[in-house]
Amino acid sequence: PLVVHYWELYLELRHSVGSNGFSPNPVSFSEIAAFQSLTGIDLDGYGIDLLRSLDQVFMKVWNSKDE
């Protein structure tokens, strides 16, 4: 299914993103562009928005664990 495909792409992308020493950094547009360039995957606007939305959820959950 398409959802699984994007989830797998997100996990691969997330593993390439660094941290600030205290928590993971959010996925940036430049990291998505580098990911596309290195993998040969051409994401459309929907795919980019979906990856960023998944990352927003990840960051929200990560940050809430300290509350």
Side-chain angles (χ1 to χ4, degrees), residues 19-37:
S19 74
N20 62 20
F22 297 100
S23 66
N25 291 328
V27 172
S28 69
F29 284 114
S30 60
E31 288 165 323
I32 293 173
F35 177 77
Q36 290 183 101
S37 176

Side-chain angles (χ1 to χ4, degrees), residues 2 10 21 24 33 35-36 39 42 58 63 65:
L2 192 57
Y10 173 71
F35 177 77
Q36 290 183 101
T39 62
D42 186 26
F58 170 81
N63 290 325
K65 71 182 186 107

